[in-house]
Amino acid sequence: MRVAATVLLVPALVGTVALPAYAFLPGGHLPGGAPTKFSLSIAEAQGLEVSDLAAGAAVSSDSFSVTTKEEIDAAAAEAERAAWEAELASRGTGEYAIVAQQAEGDDYPWWYETPDDYGGGLSPLRYYYRECVDFVAWRLNRDAGVTGAPWKWDWSNLASGSAWMWADEWAAKGWPSSSEPVVGAVAWFPYNHVAYVQAVNGDGTVTIEEYNWNSDHSYHVRTIPVGEALYLYPPA
């Protein structure tokens, strides 16, 4: 009997909850005789007339602009360029060696030595054989007219064995650097590499000579856009 009563009671409850409240009112009227349908007059609602002037007025709304990704990137590039120009302006502007352009060619005297990757040692310039820094140090000595001991430039008075540090060490010594290349300058790249500026071309490019490009410990000649490197002027 309990089960039968539950079966009969539950649907009845569900049906009762689902019905609107006014469905129980006889005659479709609320208590007191008010009809269930909404009436403007009974509710004493106010009417509203809009004049022609108000109806014809222009609708205004707040406006806003959206900054695009291209505009954000351009602003970031401009800020980076300004910071870089300020950095260059803060660097030394002293004297530097004027170097005559010479023909391309691998004149590095220790081209046959074993590089550090295979257990090789230090060159007479105290950099590892056939590294980019050793080649550039050799070229700076050659341009200064020194091709044997005693060397004018080596690890002790030029820059460290990490090419990454050369730009900062140039600035610390007060040696000039610039975004404008000159023959005989060191082309410095932020990915831990240096090269020698062999020629400044008239088409916005420079010809560089280098060792250990792509970590192969060999000699290379490349032509690159001027803007790809910072140029450390040869010390006097």
Side-chain angles (χ1 to χ4, degrees), residues 89-139:
S90 69
R91 292 177 179 269
T93 56
E95 295 182 355
Y96 60 92
I98 305 300
V99 178
Q101 183 173 339
Q102 301 188 36
E104 298 173 5
D106 185 6
D107 58 358
Y108 178 66
W110 307 294
W111 59 269
Y112 56 87
E113 294 286 353
T114 303
D116 177 53
D117 293 356
Y118 300 95
L122 301 176
S123 82
L125 304 179
R126 302 170 67 186
Y127 299 102
Y128 283 111
Y129 285 118
R130 296 164 63 183
E131 292 286 342
C132 62
V133 289
D134 199 49
F135 173 74
V136 170
W138 153 255
R139 279 295 179 85

mmCIF file of all heavy atoms in Angstrom, residues 89-139:
data_model
loop_
_atom_site.group_PDB
_atom_site.id
_atom_site.type_symbol
_atom_site.label_atom_id
_atom_site.label_comp_id
_atom_site.label_asym_id
_atom_site.label_seq_id
_atom_site.Cartn_x
_atom_site.Cartn_y
_atom_site.Cartn_z
ATOM 1 N N ALA A 89 75.201 55.906 -28.098
ATOM 2 C CA ALA A 89 75.649 57.256 -27.758
ATOM 3 C C ALA A 89 76.446 57.280 -26.456
ATOM 4 O O ALA A 89 77.310 58.143 -26.262
ATOM 5 C CB ALA A 89 74.440 58.191 -27.648
ATOM 6 N N SER A 90 76.162 56.312 -25.571
ATOM 7 C CA SER A 90 76.867 56.278 -24.290
ATOM 8 C C SER A 90 78.226 55.606 -24.385
ATOM 9 O O SER A 90 79.008 55.654 -23.442
ATOM 10 C CB SER A 90 76.009 55.541 -23.251
ATOM 11 O OG SER A 90 75.929 54.153 -23.555
ATOM 12 N N ARG A 91 78.497 54.963 -25.493
ATOM 13 C CA ARG A 91 79.769 54.267 -25.648
ATOM 14 C C ARG A 91 80.886 55.260 -25.985
ATOM 15 O O ARG A 91 80.642 56.403 -26.354
ATOM 16 C CB ARG A 91 79.665 53.189 -26.736
ATOM 17 C CG ARG A 91 78.750 52.037 -26.344
ATOM 18 C CD ARG A 91 78.617 51.020 -27.462
ATOM 19 N NE ARG A 91 77.753 49.910 -27.046
ATOM 20 C CZ ARG A 91 78.189 48.805 -26.475
ATOM 21 N NH1 ARG A 91 79.477 48.648 -26.261
ATOM 22 N NH2 ARG A 91 77.356 47.850 -26.126
ATOM 23 N N GLY A 92 82.111 54.762 -25.890
ATOM 24 C CA GLY A 92 83.257 55.617 -26.142
ATOM 25 C C GLY A 92 83.287 56.158 -27.563
ATOM 26 O O GLY A 92 82.862 55.490 -28.508
ATOM 27 N N THR A 93 83.785 57.369 -27.724
ATOM 28 C CA THR A 93 83.882 57.991 -29.049
ATOM 29 C C THR A 93 85.320 58.428 -29.303
ATOM 30 O O THR A 93 85.557 59.421 -29.983
ATOM 31 C CB THR A 93 82.933 59.193 -29.152
ATOM 32 O OG1 THR A 93 83.241 60.117 -28.095
ATOM 33 C CG2 THR A 93 81.484 58.754 -29.029
ATOM 34 N N GLY A 94 86.236 57.702 -28.701
ATOM 35 C CA GLY A 94 87.636 58.093 -28.814
ATOM 36 C C GLY A 94 88.255 57.721 -30.148
ATOM 37 O O GLY A 94 87.572 57.333 -31.098
ATOM 38 N N GLU A 95 89.559 57.801 -30.205
ATOM 39 C CA GLU A 95 90.279 57.499 -31.433
ATOM 40 C C GLU A 95 90.267 55.998 -31.710
ATOM 41 O O GLU A 95 90.135 55.183 -30.802
ATOM 42 C CB GLU A 95 91.725 57.998 -31.311
ATOM 43 C CG GLU A 95 91.853 59.507 -31.196
ATOM 44 C CD GLU A 95 93.309 59.944 -31.126
ATOM 45 O OE1 GLU A 95 94.187 59.051 -31.081
ATOM 46 O OE2 GLU A 95 93.562 61.150 -31.110
ATOM 47 N N TYR A 96 90.430 55.681 -32.958
ATOM 48 C CA TYR A 96 90.533 54.276 -33.349
ATOM 49 C C TYR A 96 91.472 54.184 -34.540
ATOM 50 O O TYR A 96 91.755 55.176 -35.223
ATOM 51 C CB TYR A 96 89.161 53.685 -33.683
ATOM 52 C CG TYR A 96 88.438 54.374 -34.815
ATOM 53 C CD1 TYR A 96 88.564 53.931 -36.133
ATOM 54 C CD2 TYR A 96 87.623 55.488 -34.568
ATOM 55 C CE1 TYR A 96 87.895 54.563 -37.161
ATOM 56 C CE2 TYR A 96 86.959 56.120 -35.599
ATOM 57 C CZ TYR A 96 87.089 55.651 -36.895
ATOM 58 O OH TYR A 96 86.434 56.280 -37.918
ATOM 59 N N ALA A 97 91.953 52.990 -34.779
ATOM 60 C CA ALA A 97 92.914 52.779 -35.855
ATOM 61 C C ALA A 97 92.235 52.869 -37.217
ATOM 62 O O ALA A 97 91.127 52.354 -37.403
ATOM 63 C CB ALA A 97 93.587 51.413 -35.694
ATOM 64 N N ILE A 98 92.869 53.539 -38.158
ATOM 65 C CA ILE A 98 92.379 53.619 -39.540
ATOM 66 C C ILE A 98 93.080 52.528 -40.340
ATOM 67 O O ILE A 98 94.314 52.494 -40.430
ATOM 68 C CB ILE A 98 92.668 54.994 -40.160
ATOM 69 C CG1 ILE A 98 92.086 56.105 -39.272
ATOM 70 C CG2 ILE A 98 92.104 55.066 -41.562
ATOM 71 C CD1 ILE A 98 90.599 56.040 -39.079
ATOM 72 N N VAL A 99 92.293 51.623 -40.891
ATOM 73 C CA VAL A 99 92.844 50.431 -41.541
ATOM 74 C C VAL A 99 92.589 50.499 -43.038
ATOM 75 O O VAL A 99 91.475 50.825 -43.470
ATOM 76 C CB VAL A 99 92.216 49.153 -40.954
ATOM 77 C CG1 VAL A 99 92.741 47.920 -41.654
ATOM 78 C CG2 VAL A 99 92.490 49.077 -39.462
ATOM 79 N N ALA A 100 93.599 50.192 -43.810
ATOM 80 C CA ALA A 100 93.442 50.128 -45.267
ATOM 81 C C ALA A 100 92.836 48.781 -45.662
ATOM 82 O O ALA A 100 93.165 47.749 -45.073
ATOM 83 C CB ALA A 100 94.786 50.320 -45.950
ATOM 84 N N GLN A 101 91.958 48.824 -46.642
ATOM 85 C CA GLN A 101 91.316 47.583 -47.081
ATOM 86 C C GLN A 101 92.337 46.677 -47.754
ATOM 87 O O GLN A 101 93.174 47.126 -48.542
ATOM 88 C CB GLN A 101 90.179 47.895 -48.046
ATOM 89 C CG GLN A 101 89.396 46.665 -48.495
ATOM 90 C CD GLN A 101 88.181 47.030 -49.309
ATOM 91 O OE1 GLN A 101 87.682 48.163 -49.229
ATOM 92 N NE2 GLN A 101 87.704 46.097 -50.101
ATOM 93 N N GLN A 102 92.257 45.396 -47.450
ATOM 94 C CA GLN A 102 93.152 44.410 -48.037
ATOM 95 C C GLN A 102 92.339 43.322 -48.717
ATOM 96 O O GLN A 102 91.129 43.186 -48.479
ATOM 97 C CB GLN A 102 94.060 43.810 -46.963
ATOM 98 C CG GLN A 102 94.910 44.865 -46.258
ATOM 99 C CD GLN A 102 95.937 44.250 -45.334
ATOM 100 O OE1 GLN A 102 96.501 43.196 -45.634
ATOM 101 N NE2 GLN A 102 96.201 44.912 -44.213
ATOM 102 N N ALA A 103 92.997 42.543 -49.537
ATOM 103 C CA ALA A 103 92.307 41.494 -50.287
ATOM 104 C C ALA A 103 91.816 40.395 -49.346
ATOM 105 O O ALA A 103 92.392 40.152 -48.278
ATOM 106 C CB ALA A 103 93.239 40.896 -51.340
ATOM 107 N N GLU A 104 90.738 39.748 -49.755
ATOM 108 C CA GLU A 104 90.230 38.627 -48.984
ATOM 109 C C GLU A 104 91.220 37.480 -49.026
ATOM 110 O O GLU A 104 91.997 37.338 -49.966
ATOM 111 C CB GLU A 104 88.890 38.156 -49.551
ATOM 112 C CG GLU A 104 87.767 39.184 -49.505
ATOM 113 C CD GLU A 104 86.530 38.692 -50.229
ATOM 114 O OE1 GLU A 104 86.542 37.510 -50.668
ATOM 115 O OE2 GLU A 104 85.565 39.458 -50.366
ATOM 116 N N GLY A 105 91.139 36.646 -48.012
ATOM 117 C CA GLY A 105 91.986 35.454 -48.023
ATOM 118 C C GLY A 105 92.284 34.964 -46.622
ATOM 119 O O GLY A 105 92.361 35.750 -45.670
ATOM 120 N N ASP A 106 92.448 33.684 -46.490
ATOM 121 C CA ASP A 106 92.708 33.076 -45.192
ATOM 122 C C ASP A 106 94.203 33.151 -44.885
ATOM 123 O O ASP A 106 94.979 32.295 -45.296
ATOM 124 C CB ASP A 106 92.236 31.618 -45.202
ATOM 125 C CG ASP A 106 92.378 30.955 -43.839
ATOM 126 O OD1 ASP A 106 92.738 31.669 -42.877
ATOM 127 O OD2 ASP A 106 92.123 29.747 -43.735
ATOM 128 N N ASP A 107 94.573 34.192 -44.149
ATOM 129 C CA ASP A 107 95.973 34.344 -43.760
ATOM 130 C C ASP A 107 96.204 33.971 -42.302
ATOM 131 O O ASP A 107 97.264 34.253 -41.739
ATOM 132 C CB ASP A 107 96.451 35.779 -44.004
ATOM 133 C CG ASP A 107 95.602 36.803 -43.245
ATOM 134 O OD1 ASP A 107 94.623 36.408 -42.568
ATOM 135 O OD2 ASP A 107 95.901 38.006 -43.346
ATOM 136 N N TYR A 108 95.205 33.360 -41.665
ATOM 137 C CA TYR A 108 95.328 32.933 -40.274
ATOM 138 C C TYR A 108 96.453 31.901 -40.173
ATOM 139 O O TYR A 108 96.407 30.863 -40.851
ATOM 140 C CB TYR A 108 93.993 32.347 -39.822
ATOM 141 C CG TYR A 108 93.956 31.806 -38.419
ATOM 142 C CD1 TYR A 108 94.098 32.634 -37.316
ATOM 143 C CD2 TYR A 108 93.732 30.447 -38.195
ATOM 144 C CE1 TYR A 108 94.026 32.135 -36.029
ATOM 145 C CE2 TYR A 108 93.659 29.937 -36.913
ATOM 146 C CZ TYR A 108 93.812 30.779 -35.825
ATOM 147 O OH TYR A 108 93.750 30.272 -34.545
ATOM 148 N N PRO A 109 97.474 32.148 -39.356
ATOM 149 C CA PRO A 109 98.662 31.301 -39.384
ATOM 150 C C PRO A 109 98.511 29.937 -38.703
ATOM 151 O O PRO A 109 99.383 29.080 -38.872
ATOM 152 C CB PRO A 109 99.713 32.147 -38.649
ATOM 153 C CG PRO A 109 98.934 33.037 -37.749
ATOM 154 C CD PRO A 109 97.646 33.316 -38.466
ATOM 155 N N TRP A 110 97.428 29.731 -37.981
ATOM 156 C CA TRP A 110 97.298 28.468 -37.234
ATOM 157 C C TRP A 110 96.081 27.669 -37.692
ATOM 158 O O TRP A 110 95.428 26.989 -36.921
ATOM 159 C CB TRP A 110 97.208 28.780 -35.739
ATOM 160 C CG TRP A 110 98.353 29.649 -35.287
ATOM 161 C CD1 TRP A 110 99.685 29.313 -35.251
ATOM 162 C CD2 TRP A 110 98.278 31.009 -34.852
ATOM 163 N NE1 TRP A 110 100.445 30.363 -34.817
ATOM 164 C CE2 TRP A 110 99.611 31.435 -34.552
ATOM 165 C CE3 TRP A 110 97.249 31.925 -34.660
ATOM 166 C CZ2 TRP A 110 99.922 32.708 -34.098
ATOM 167 C CZ3 TRP A 110 97.553 33.196 -34.193
ATOM 168 C CH2 TRP A 110 98.866 33.575 -33.925
ATOM 169 N N TRP A 111 95.831 27.733 -38.970
ATOM 170 C CA TRP A 111 94.663 27.084 -39.544
ATOM 171 C C TRP A 111 94.680 25.567 -39.392
ATOM 172 O O TRP A 111 93.639 24.905 -39.430
ATOM 173 C CB TRP A 111 94.562 27.422 -41.037
ATOM 174 C CG TRP A 111 95.780 27.000 -41.809
ATOM 175 C CD1 TRP A 111 96.887 27.738 -42.053
ATOM 176 C CD2 TRP A 111 95.999 25.722 -42.412
ATOM 177 N NE1 TRP A 111 97.812 27.018 -42.769
ATOM 178 C CE2 TRP A 111 97.292 25.762 -43.004
ATOM 179 C CE3 TRP A 111 95.269 24.546 -42.516
ATOM 180 C CZ2 TRP A 111 97.846 24.689 -43.685
ATOM 181 C CZ3 TRP A 111 95.812 23.459 -43.190
ATOM 182 C CH2 TRP A 111 97.083 23.535 -43.776
ATOM 183 N N TYR A 112 95.851 24.996 -39.191
ATOM 184 C CA TYR A 112 96.015 23.535 -39.143
ATOM 185 C C TYR A 112 95.963 22.981 -37.715
ATOM 186 O O TYR A 112 95.945 21.762 -37.513
ATOM 187 C CB TYR A 112 97.373 23.154 -39.753
ATOM 188 C CG TYR A 112 98.533 23.845 -39.075
ATOM 189 C CD1 TYR A 112 99.142 23.308 -37.949
ATOM 190 C CD2 TYR A 112 98.997 25.073 -39.558
ATOM 191 C CE1 TYR A 112 100.187 23.976 -37.322
ATOM 192 C CE2 TYR A 112 100.033 25.734 -38.938
ATOM 193 C CZ TYR A 112 100.629 25.184 -37.821
ATOM 194 O OH TYR A 112 101.663 25.843 -37.195
ATOM 195 N N GLU A 113 95.947 23.855 -36.719
ATOM 196 C CA GLU A 113 96.004 23.397 -35.341
ATOM 197 C C GLU A 113 94.683 22.746 -34.905
ATOM 198 O O GLU A 113 93.614 23.037 -35.444
ATOM 199 C CB GLU A 113 96.324 24.564 -34.405
ATOM 200 C CG GLU A 113 97.714 25.160 -34.588
ATOM 201 C CD GLU A 113 98.812 24.263 -34.035
ATOM 202 O OE1 GLU A 113 98.481 23.232 -33.397
ATOM 203 O OE2 GLU A 113 99.998 24.598 -34.238
ATOM 204 N N THR A 114 94.777 21.878 -33.914
ATOM 205 C CA THR A 114 93.596 21.184 -33.407
ATOM 206 C C THR A 114 92.755 22.125 -32.547
ATOM 207 O O THR A 114 93.282 22.745 -31.618
ATOM 208 C CB THR A 114 94.006 19.976 -32.548
ATOM 209 O OG1 THR A 114 94.833 19.109 -33.329
ATOM 210 C CG2 THR A 114 92.783 19.213 -32.045
ATOM 211 N N PRO A 115 91.457 22.259 -32.850
ATOM 212 C CA PRO A 115 90.611 23.162 -32.044
ATOM 213 C C PRO A 115 90.297 22.561 -30.676
ATOM 214 O O PRO A 115 90.514 21.377 -30.420
ATOM 215 C CB PRO A 115 89.345 23.303 -32.900
ATOM 216 C CG PRO A 115 89.308 22.061 -33.734
ATOM 217 C CD PRO A 115 90.729 21.685 -33.993
ATOM 218 N N ASP A 116 89.771 23.393 -29.831
ATOM 219 C CA ASP A 116 89.477 22.994 -28.456
ATOM 220 C C ASP A 116 88.492 21.838 -28.388
ATOM 221 O O ASP A 116 88.589 20.980 -27.505
ATOM 222 C CB ASP A 116 88.930 24.203 -27.690
ATOM 223 C CG ASP A 116 88.533 23.851 -26.272
ATOM 224 O OD1 ASP A 116 89.362 23.281 -25.549
ATOM 225 O OD2 ASP A 116 87.383 24.137 -25.894
ATOM 226 N N ASP A 117 87.542 21.770 -29.306
ATOM 227 C CA ASP A 117 86.556 20.689 -29.293
ATOM 228 C C ASP A 117 87.208 19.316 -29.392
ATOM 229 O O ASP A 117 86.615 18.311 -28.996
ATOM 230 C CB ASP A 117 85.565 20.855 -30.451
ATOM 231 C CG ASP A 117 84.697 22.087 -30.284
ATOM 232 O OD1 ASP A 117 84.813 22.757 -29.234
ATOM 233 O OD2 ASP A 117 83.913 22.394 -31.199
ATOM 234 N N TYR A 118 88.410 19.274 -29.932
ATOM 235 C CA TYR A 118 89.116 17.994 -30.106
ATOM 236 C C TYR A 118 90.393 17.937 -29.270
ATOM 237 O O TYR A 118 91.315 17.193 -29.584
ATOM 238 C CB TYR A 118 89.442 17.785 -31.593
ATOM 239 C CG TYR A 118 88.200 17.760 -32.450
ATOM 240 C CD1 TYR A 118 87.753 18.911 -33.087
ATOM 241 C CD2 TYR A 118 87.457 16.596 -32.596
ATOM 242 C CE1 TYR A 118 86.600 18.902 -33.857
ATOM 243 C CE2 TYR A 118 86.301 16.574 -33.368
ATOM 244 C CZ TYR A 118 85.885 17.726 -33.993
ATOM 245 O OH TYR A 118 84.731 17.707 -34.753
ATOM 246 N N GLY A 119 90.419 18.740 -28.218
ATOM 247 C CA GLY A 119 91.538 18.686 -27.294
ATOM 248 C C GLY A 119 92.672 19.642 -27.581
ATOM 249 O O GLY A 119 93.740 19.532 -26.964
ATOM 250 N N GLY A 120 92.470 20.589 -28.496
ATOM 251 C CA GLY A 120 93.515 21.555 -28.823
ATOM 252 C C GLY A 120 93.714 22.586 -27.731
ATOM 253 O O GLY A 120 92.883 22.737 -26.826
ATOM 254 N N GLY A 121 94.808 23.322 -27.837
ATOM 255 C CA GLY A 121 95.150 24.285 -26.803
ATOM 256 C C GLY A 121 94.994 25.720 -27.253
ATOM 257 O O GLY A 121 94.209 26.031 -28.155
ATOM 258 N N LEU A 122 95.772 26.596 -26.613
ATOM 259 C CA LEU A 122 95.708 28.026 -26.870
ATOM 260 C C LEU A 122 96.741 28.441 -27.904
ATOM 261 O O LEU A 122 97.858 27.926 -27.934
ATOM 262 C CB LEU A 122 95.935 28.805 -25.576
ATOM 263 C CG LEU A 122 94.957 28.551 -24.425
ATOM 264 C CD1 LEU A 122 95.391 29.338 -23.186
ATOM 265 C CD2 LEU A 122 93.533 28.920 -24.817
ATOM 266 N N SER A 123 96.365 29.426 -28.695
ATOM 267 C CA SER A 123 97.283 29.989 -29.677
ATOM 268 C C SER A 123 98.229 30.960 -28.973
ATOM 269 O O SER A 123 98.043 31.269 -27.785
ATOM 270 C CB SER A 123 96.494 30.717 -30.759
ATOM 271 O OG SER A 123 96.135 32.019 -30.325
ATOM 272 N N PRO A 124 99.234 31.478 -29.675
ATOM 273 C CA PRO A 124 100.099 32.504 -29.069
ATOM 274 C C PRO A 124 99.344 33.755 -28.615
ATOM 275 O O PRO A 124 99.857 34.520 -27.789
ATOM 276 C CB PRO A 124 101.080 32.830 -30.198
ATOM 277 C CG PRO A 124 101.154 31.573 -31.003
ATOM 278 C CD PRO A 124 99.764 31.025 -30.975
ATOM 279 N N LEU A 125 98.137 33.945 -29.109
ATOM 280 C CA LEU A 125 97.324 35.081 -28.695
ATOM 281 C C LEU A 125 96.468 34.742 -27.470
ATOM 282 O O LEU A 125 95.691 35.574 -27.018
ATOM 283 C CB LEU A 125 96.436 35.553 -29.840
ATOM 284 C CG LEU A 125 97.184 35.929 -31.129
ATOM 285 C CD1 LEU A 125 96.203 36.358 -32.208
ATOM 286 C CD2 LEU A 125 98.213 37.016 -30.857
ATOM 287 N N ARG A 126 96.593 33.508 -26.983
ATOM 288 C CA ARG A 126 95.956 33.040 -25.749
ATOM 289 C C ARG A 126 94.443 32.860 -25.871
ATOM 290 O O ARG A 126 93.715 32.883 -24.883
ATOM 291 C CB ARG A 126 96.319 33.959 -24.575
ATOM 292 C CG ARG A 126 97.818 34.042 -24.345
ATOM 293 C CD ARG A 126 98.202 35.120 -23.367
ATOM 294 N NE ARG A 126 97.715 34.793 -22.012
ATOM 295 C CZ ARG A 126 97.829 35.639 -20.980
ATOM 296 N NH1 ARG A 126 98.377 36.828 -21.151
ATOM 297 N NH2 ARG A 126 97.384 35.288 -19.798
ATOM 298 N N TYR A 127 93.984 32.686 -27.099
ATOM 299 C CA TYR A 127 92.638 32.209 -27.353
ATOM 300 C C TYR A 127 92.760 30.795 -27.915
ATOM 301 O O TYR A 127 93.806 30.410 -28.420
ATOM 302 C CB TYR A 127 91.911 33.096 -28.372
ATOM 303 C CG TYR A 127 91.731 34.535 -27.945
ATOM 304 C CD1 TYR A 127 92.558 35.535 -28.455
ATOM 305 C CD2 TYR A 127 90.721 34.905 -27.065
ATOM 306 C CE1 TYR A 127 92.392 36.864 -28.083
ATOM 307 C CE2 TYR A 127 90.544 36.234 -26.688
ATOM 308 C CZ TYR A 127 91.384 37.204 -27.198
ATOM 309 O OH TYR A 127 91.216 38.510 -26.820
ATOM 310 N N TYR A 128 91.670 30.034 -27.882
ATOM 311 C CA TYR A 128 91.728 28.697 -28.458
ATOM 312 C C TYR A 128 91.896 28.782 -29.973
ATOM 313 O O TYR A 128 91.340 29.649 -30.637
ATOM 314 C CB TYR A 128 90.457 27.917 -28.115
ATOM 315 C CG TYR A 128 90.442 27.399 -26.696
ATOM 316 C CD1 TYR A 128 89.559 27.926 -25.760
ATOM 317 C CD2 TYR A 128 91.316 26.388 -26.293
ATOM 318 C CE1 TYR A 128 89.545 27.453 -24.451
ATOM 319 C CE2 TYR A 128 91.307 25.911 -24.992
ATOM 320 C CZ TYR A 128 90.430 26.449 -24.074
ATOM 321 O OH TYR A 128 90.426 25.989 -22.777
ATOM 322 N N TYR A 129 92.695 27.856 -30.486
ATOM 323 C CA TYR A 129 92.952 27.805 -31.916
ATOM 324 C C TYR A 129 91.645 27.721 -32.714
ATOM 325 O O TYR A 129 90.706 27.017 -32.358
ATOM 326 C CB TYR A 129 93.792 26.572 -32.270
ATOM 327 C CG TYR A 129 95.255 26.676 -31.909
ATOM 328 C CD1 TYR A 129 95.825 25.796 -30.986
ATOM 329 C CD2 TYR A 129 96.069 27.631 -32.502
ATOM 330 C CE1 TYR A 129 97.187 25.866 -30.673
ATOM 331 C CE2 TYR A 129 97.421 27.714 -32.187
ATOM 332 C CZ TYR A 129 97.976 26.846 -31.273
ATOM 333 O OH TYR A 129 99.305 26.930 -30.952
ATOM 334 N N ARG A 130 91.626 28.464 -33.810
ATOM 335 C CA ARG A 130 90.579 28.387 -34.830
ATOM 336 C C ARG A 130 89.191 28.776 -34.309
ATOM 337 O O ARG A 130 88.176 28.395 -34.881
ATOM 338 C CB ARG A 130 90.551 26.993 -35.462
ATOM 339 C CG ARG A 130 91.834 26.679 -36.220
ATOM 340 C CD ARG A 130 92.018 25.210 -36.540
ATOM 341 N NE ARG A 130 90.966 24.714 -37.415
ATOM 342 C CZ ARG A 130 90.869 23.443 -37.803
ATOM 343 N NH1 ARG A 130 91.763 22.563 -37.404
ATOM 344 N NH2 ARG A 130 89.905 23.057 -38.602
ATOM 345 N N GLU A 131 89.177 29.550 -33.239
ATOM 346 C CA GLU A 131 87.931 30.161 -32.780
ATOM 347 C C GLU A 131 87.791 31.536 -33.443
ATOM 348 O O GLU A 131 88.768 32.130 -33.899
ATOM 349 C CB GLU A 131 87.927 30.316 -31.263
ATOM 350 C CG GLU A 131 87.875 29.011 -30.496
ATOM 351 C CD GLU A 131 86.512 28.348 -30.543
ATOM 352 O OE1 GLU A 131 85.521 29.046 -30.869
ATOM 353 O OE2 GLU A 131 86.425 27.145 -30.262
ATOM 354 N N CYS A 132 86.563 32.060 -33.448
ATOM 355 C CA CYS A 132 86.323 33.358 -34.083
ATOM 356 C C CYS A 132 87.142 34.459 -33.410
ATOM 357 O O CYS A 132 87.661 35.358 -34.087
ATOM 358 C CB CYS A 132 84.839 33.693 -34.051
ATOM 359 S SG CYS A 132 84.112 33.851 -32.390
ATOM 360 N N VAL A 133 87.267 34.398 -32.094
ATOM 361 C CA VAL A 133 87.996 35.445 -31.370
ATOM 362 C C VAL A 133 89.495 35.417 -31.685
ATOM 363 O O VAL A 133 90.152 36.469 -31.756
ATOM 364 C CB VAL A 133 87.753 35.325 -29.857
ATOM 365 C CG1 VAL A 133 86.329 35.733 -29.513
ATOM 366 C CG2 VAL A 133 88.035 33.910 -29.353
ATOM 367 N N ASP A 134 90.040 34.221 -31.873
ATOM 368 C CA ASP A 134 91.471 34.128 -32.178
ATOM 369 C C ASP A 134 91.760 34.684 -33.566
ATOM 370 O O ASP A 134 92.760 35.391 -33.780
ATOM 371 C CB ASP A 134 91.942 32.674 -32.083
ATOM 372 C CG ASP A 134 93.460 32.567 -31.937
ATOM 373 O OD1 ASP A 134 94.025 33.276 -31.079
ATOM 374 O OD2 ASP A 134 94.080 31.771 -32.676
ATOM 375 N N PHE A 135 90.895 34.385 -34.516
ATOM 376 C CA PHE A 135 91.070 34.907 -35.864
ATOM 377 C C PHE A 135 90.997 36.428 -35.880
ATOM 378 O O PHE A 135 91.832 37.101 -36.500
ATOM 379 C CB PHE A 135 90.019 34.328 -36.800
ATOM 380 C CG PHE A 135 90.027 34.946 -38.170
ATOM 381 C CD1 PHE A 135 91.031 34.644 -39.085
ATOM 382 C CD2 PHE A 135 89.046 35.848 -38.550
ATOM 383 C CE1 PHE A 135 91.054 35.228 -40.352
ATOM 384 C CE2 PHE A 135 89.056 36.435 -39.808
ATOM 385 C CZ PHE A 135 90.071 36.120 -40.713
ATOM 386 N N VAL A 136 90.007 37.001 -35.189
ATOM 387 C CA VAL A 136 89.865 38.454 -35.176
ATOM 388 C C VAL A 136 91.053 39.097 -34.457
ATOM 389 O O VAL A 136 91.567 40.139 -34.899
ATOM 390 C CB VAL A 136 88.527 38.863 -34.531
ATOM 391 C CG1 VAL A 136 88.468 40.372 -34.294
ATOM 392 C CG2 VAL A 136 87.359 38.424 -35.410
ATOM 393 N N ALA A 137 91.505 38.493 -33.367
ATOM 394 C CA ALA A 137 92.677 39.033 -32.666
ATOM 395 C C ALA A 137 93.902 39.014 -33.584
ATOM 396 O O ALA A 137 94.714 39.956 -33.580
ATOM 397 C CB ALA A 137 92.946 38.228 -31.399
ATOM 398 N N TRP A 138 94.038 37.956 -34.370
ATOM 399 C CA TRP A 138 95.131 37.900 -35.339
ATOM 400 C C TRP A 138 95.031 39.043 -36.340
ATOM 401 O O TRP A 138 96.017 39.716 -36.638
ATOM 402 C CB TRP A 138 95.133 36.555 -36.069
ATOM 403 C CG TRP A 138 95.739 36.607 -37.435
ATOM 404 C CD1 TRP A 138 95.085 36.574 -38.627
ATOM 405 C CD2 TRP A 138 97.126 36.764 -37.752
ATOM 406 N NE1 TRP A 138 95.963 36.699 -39.670
ATOM 407 C CE2 TRP A 138 97.243 36.808 -39.165
ATOM 408 C CE3 TRP A 138 98.287 36.880 -37.003
ATOM 409 C CZ2 TRP A 138 98.445 36.958 -39.828
ATOM 410 C CZ3 TRP A 138 99.496 37.019 -37.665
ATOM 411 C CH2 TRP A 138 99.571 37.055 -39.056
ATOM 412 N N ARG A 139 93.825 39.299 -36.846
ATOM 413 C CA ARG A 139 93.646 40.355 -37.836
ATOM 414 C C ARG A 139 93.944 41.738 -37.244
ATOM 415 O O ARG A 139 94.522 42.599 -37.909
ATOM 416 C CB ARG A 139 92.230 40.317 -38.407
ATOM 417 C CG ARG A 139 92.054 39.251 -39.499
ATOM 418 C CD ARG A 139 92.898 39.585 -40.715
ATOM 419 N NE ARG A 139 92.809 38.617 -41.772
ATOM 420 C CZ ARG A 139 91.873 38.587 -42.714
ATOM 421 N NH1 ARG A 139 90.891 39.473 -42.687
ATOM 422 N NH2 ARG A 139 91.898 37.679 -43.663
#
